[in-house]
Amino acid sequence: MEIEVYDTYGASEKGNKIHFDVMLPIGGNEREATSYAEDFINKIAESTDSIKLESCKFCHTEEAKSNVSEKVEKDGYCIVPIENCPNPY
């Protein structure tokens, strides 16, 4: 499955940079990716200090790994934590 990758950054009140990718099926858009990013930030902010979304921009398309593909097919998106992201689950 081909997916779109949206490179996403935020910052905590303590100055920590938060980096994660929002992955959508082909045909997604930045508004949709930003909405998923904001939901994710709300989840992780409950377990850390306040976090503000700084950017969510389309980066590239790629062939999804099986676990990402399954999540995108089930939920319509997948969040992949990269840097300084507490587990929201």
Side-chain angles (χ1 to χ4, degrees):
M1 161 187 245
E2 280 281 309
I3 56 166
E4 296 178 352
V5 178
Y6 292 79
D7 202 27
T8 309
Y9 291 90
S12 73
E13 286 179 338
K14 295 177 183 173
N16 294 325
K17 287 287 186 185
I18 310 295
H19 182 200
F20 58 95
D21 285 340
V22 178
M23 302 189 174
L24 301 177
I26 298 295
N29 62 60
E30 235 167 75
R31 184 177 307 159
E32 182 180 15
T34 298
S35 176
Y36 291 130
E38 289 170 345
D39 288 345
F40 179 72
I41 282 176
N42 288 333
K43 287 179 186 173
I44 64 174
E46 291 174 5
S47 60
T48 184
D49 57 326
S50 181
I51 300 170
K52 180 183 175 199
L53 181 64
E54 292 182 340
S55 68
C56 182
K57 301 287 181 196
F58 174 77
C59 185
H60 64 277
T61 61
E62 66 181 48
E63 186 65 31
K65 295 179 182 172
S66 63
N67 60 327
V68 171
S69 180
E70 289 171 13
K71 181 103 171 103
V72 169
E73 287 177 5
K74 178 181 174 233
D75 298 334
Y77 73 102
C78 181
I79 302 287
V80 176
I82 297 173
E83 183 178 15
N84 296 323
C85 293
N87 186 346
Y89 308 106

